[in-house]
Every structure is written in structure tokens, then in C-alpha cells.
Amino acid sequence: MIVIKNEKVRRFLKIAVPFIFMPVLLILGTVVFDEKKFAWVILATTVLALLLFYSGFEKKVIGTRRMVIIAVMTALSVVGRFIFALIPGFKPITAIVVITAIWLGPESGFLVGSLSAVISNFYFGQGPWTPFQMFAWGIIGLIAGYLGRFLKKNKPALAVYGVFAGVFYSMFMDVWSVLWYNNEFNISVYLAALVTAIPYTISYAASNVVFLLLLGRPFGEKLERVKLKYGV
Amino acid sequence: MKSFKDYNPRAVFLFFLGVIVPSMFVMDPVLLAISFGGAVTLHFTLNGRNGFKGFWLFPVIIAAGLILNPLFYHNGATVLFVLNNNPITAEAALYGLVMGLMISGILLWFRSFTTIMTSDKLLYIFGAASPKLALMLSMIMRYIPLFRRQISKTNQAQKAMGLYKEENTIDKLKGGMRVFSVMVTWALENGVITADSMVARGYGVGRRSQFAIFKWRKADKLFLLLAMVCTGITFLTIARKAIGFTFYPKITRVPFNALAAAGYAVYLLLVLLPVIITVREVRLWQSLQSKI
């Protein structure tokens, strides 16, 4: 699916972001700015990475149906937070992202993941963390998409991926919180942050596994059916 | 006369950028105090008494910075006392305090940002860059309330069938899964029908245009101009290194001069712009009422 319509802009971004913008940013970050601007460098890098991913989506013919289905899955992942609001710490976002990615491919996974982050932050508060959440969930979806065929058949692997996604999300977001809080990366502070986040990490990982195992097959079948019936 | 919320979203977005970037970028106690003060005033102007809900978080963050930072960092020349063979320094404590001020200020700015910049406004700002993405976002935003309504319908139907009798987490979870599953089937079918309907009406045939309800009025332009001038001057003073602060090894401020004073004054004006606009509006409203 083409997100950035203008082909010249897309091609420019695809070359300029990895070969010009990012190196310049990193060099500026280490050489020009005084020691403590890493939070900025990493924030800008994340935004650039998101741009790069969006400019990479090139497939010319994408049906309106698939676009609407991506929108539907994103809305479901956000609404899922409300369904399970009664049980604290249970959020199906990651599971929905992974399931969509497995059945509809890496691009759809990345889109559903990153859009879910923006949309759910309309309800839970935007902040400088929004690009990081977009990136973290997007990457979780992208990898799940590439592992799709393998994860589709293998239930234990799916559970392991759920744990990985929970731990990855927590570790990734803590890098940002530490950088932002200290403006420099201090390994002891990072470890302290990870330790205090352990209950959350466990609840992320556990809810991912539960949702993936319970919802994986039925949701997958539904997506498969829609794909077959309507030729998405 | 418009309230701050009704100003052109592009101008308001640039205003927020101009306020938030310096206060994330510059470790200067005065600048950060101004930013925090502005954030608090705007927060209470927008929310009134409701602003106190959840406000306790910010003193906690500031106190946490003040207490926790010296426990992790032992740089600094002024040792206050020694704890477990680790020196606790005044510099580290002050750094933590300023850091707490920065974080709570930015969190507050983003709270106001979330209140003012509703999804339709963000779509207006970013929609031009990618109409397809904007369309998807607006579809998602429409689906969420629709799905929530459908979920409560499904829940009620399930209850009428005699499910969820007991207070039981496993039961709740199972019920949630069942409702979710029902929702997915319904939503996917619904989505495909929507897509077909879109195609039938000619979606994807021509160029996508964008509808926006927001206009550039004189007040918007004036506001944007003022905000940009203020931001520019603030950035200039920062770039000229008139504003800046070193914490380690000893707290030192770059020599204070007229440029720094101008920078602080201009930044203060910038952060207070929304409040000034609101107060002016209230005044005008009152004077109009008294004439009647």
C-alpha cells in the first residue's frame, strides 16, 4: 500500500533518510551538540525510521478492501482495550497486531501496529513517547509478518513470540525513558528502570501469550475467510 | 473573536512546537520554570477546577528527581553528606530538580496539546501529506465509537442469554473473548461492505481532495506571526549561548546579559499567549454583556 503518494518524494526519502539524514544526525549528535542531547537524537532517528518505513510501502495495486480491513483491525485493537478494561493489565493490542501481520503480511502488520499507537494515544494521552510506541508496535508487527508462515502453524512459537514482543516493548520503551530522564544513557539507571518495570513486563508478556493462543486461530480463520470470500 | 481552541490548527501546532522544543532542549532552570509556569496556567485555564484531577503527579515527579538523581549520580563539587560511602552532592540534587521540572512541564504541555488538538485537527495538519493515511485515520476514529456501541449491544444480548452470572475473572475473560470474536466477524464483514460501497461511489478514480473546515483568518495570521517571532528570538538567544547552564562539577551560569533577559521575556510572552487570548476573550464577552 502506498502511503506517500508522490513517487519523487518517496524515492528521495528512501535514499536520503538512511544515507544522508541519519548519519548526519548521528554525527551531529556526537560531535556538535554537547554531550547530553541523546534523547533528541534518538527521537529524531525514530521519526526518520518511521518515515523510511512509510516511504517503503510501494505495492501499486492495493484494494480498497484491504485498506478498510487494516482500518478495522486497528480500530479493534484499540477497542479491545475497552473490552478488557475490567481485567487490569490486559491489552490485546500486540496480539491483534501480530495476528494481522501473520495473515495479511508485514506491511499491514507495521501499519496496524504504528496506527494503533497513535490512535490509542488520542484516548490515553499523546507525548514525546508516541513515535517510540509507533515504532515498537510497528516493528513487532513487521517481524511477525516475516515470520508469518512459521508462526501460523506453530503454537509454541507463537507463545514465544508473544513473550518476546512483551519484553521487547518494555525494554525498548525503557531506553527512551532513561534517555529522556537523564539525557544520557546510564546502564545502572536503565537496569533499575527494567527491574521496576518487571511486573508490567510480565503482565504484557502474559497477556500477549493468552491473547495470541486464544485468539490466534479463530481470528486467523476469520481473516482467512474474508480473504478467500472477498479476495482481499 | 475566537477562543484559543478555535484558532487555526496549523498555527496552534507550530505554537506548541515552539514552546515544547526549547523546554526539551535547554537545561536552564529559569527557562524551564517559565515553561512549567506557562503549562500550569494553560492547564488550569483549559480545565478549571477539573485540572486538579491527577495533578498530584507533577509534584511527585519533581520530588522524585530531587531525591533520586543524587542517589544515582555522584558528580559535583559540593558534597552535602555521605550515604553508604557515596557522596550526595548539591549539584546532582539541583540537576534532578530541574529535570523533574522539565519532565512535568512537558507532560503538562502535552496534556493541553491532547485537549486542544483533537483528531480532526491533526488530520487537517497531516492529511495533506498523505491523503490515504488521513482517510484511514479518520475511518478508524469513526469505527471506535461504532464498535464500542456494538460491543455493549453484544454484551447485553449475552447477558440476556444468562451468561456472566458469577463474579469470576476466568468467566469475564472468556466472555470478553467471545464478545471480541463476535465483534471481529461483524466488523470485518462491515468493513468489506464499506469498501465495496466506497468503490461503487468512485473511490480511487480521481485525485483525492481534502476538506477542511478551518480557515486562515486575520487573528490566526497575527497569532502565528507573533508566536513565530517569539520562537525565533528564543532560539536566537539559545543559539548565541546567552541562555545556558552547567551543573557539573560546579553550578555555573553563563554570564547574564541583556540578550538573556530579552530571551526570557520573549519566551514568557510566548508561553502566556493562549492565556492572554483567553483572558481577552472573556473580557470582551463581559463588556458586550454589560452593554446589553
Side-chain angles (χ1 to χ4, degrees), chain A residues 90 95 159 162 204-216, chain B residues 173 177:
Chain A
F90 252 61
Y204 288 149
S207 66
N208 287 350
V209 171
V210 170
F211 277 117
L212 277 175
L213 290 183
L214 286 179
L215 301 180
Chain B
L173 186 64
M177 296 288 180

Side-chain angles (χ1 to χ4, degrees), chain B residues 21 27 59 61 63 73 107 130 141 158 161 211 224 253 284:
Chain B
V21 168
M27 280 299 278
I61 290 175
Y73 286 89
L107 286 177
S130 174
M141 292 308 287
Q158 301 245 316
M161 285 161 68
F211 168 75
L224 181 65
R253 205 205 170 283
L284 187 78

Side-chain angles (χ1 to χ4, degrees), chain B residues 78-138:
Chain B
T78 325
V79 178
L80 294 176
F81 54 90
V82 176
L83 191 78
N84 291 340
N85 287 330
N86 280 321
I88 300 297
T89 63
E91 282 84 2
L94 186 74
Y95 185 85
L97 179 74
V98 174
M99 207 59 219
L101 207 61
M102 170 192 262
I103 289 174
S104 37
I106 288 169
L107 286 177
L108 266 172
W109 279 117
F110 268 106
R111 259 195 200 186
S112 302
F113 180 86
T114 313
T115 318
I116 292 173
M117 299 303 267
T118 43
S119 52
D120 55 323
K121 293 183 184 169
L122 284 181
L123 281 179
Y124 165 65
I125 295 171
F126 296 112
S130 174
K132 210 166 200 174
L133 205 60
L135 174 71
M136 278 178 71
L137 282 175
S138 64

Side-chain angles (χ1 to χ4, degrees), chain A residues 18-72:
Chain A
F19 297 113
I20 302 169
F21 289 162
M22 281 194 183
V24 165
L25 197 69
L26 290 181
I27 291 166
L28 274 180
T30 43
V31 179
V32 178
F33 295 143
D34 38 358
E35 71 279 16
K36 297 195 165 177
K37 295 289 179 272
F38 293 136
W40 270 93
V41 174
I42 205 160
L43 179 62
T45 318
T46 312
V47 173
L48 283 177
L50 281 170
L51 258 181
L52 182 65
F53 273 110
Y54 281 138
S55 58
F57 297 157
E58 287 244 16
K59 210 191 273 173
K60 277 264 150 54
V61 200
I62 173 149
T64 312
R65 281 175 176 166
R66 174 168 284 221
M67 188 185 81
V68 176
I69 282 176
I70 291 174
V72 165

Side-chain angles (χ1 to χ4, degrees), chain A residues 40, chain B residues 10-26 31 35 109 113 223-224 226-235 238 266-268 270-271 273:
Chain A
W40 270 93
Chain B
R10 286 191 177 145
V12 175
F13 184 80
L14 286 174
F15 161 79
F16 272 111
L17 215 60
V19 168
I20 291 174
V21 168
S23 50
M24 273 176 94
F25 206 62
V26 187
L31 191 89
S35 165
W109 279 117
F113 180 86
F223 167 69
L224 181 65
L226 202 57
M228 286 298 97
V229 168
C230 289
T231 313
I233 294 175
T234 314
F235 275 118
I238 294 166
V266 164
Y267 190 66
L268 182 69
L270 179 69
V271 300
L273 269 182

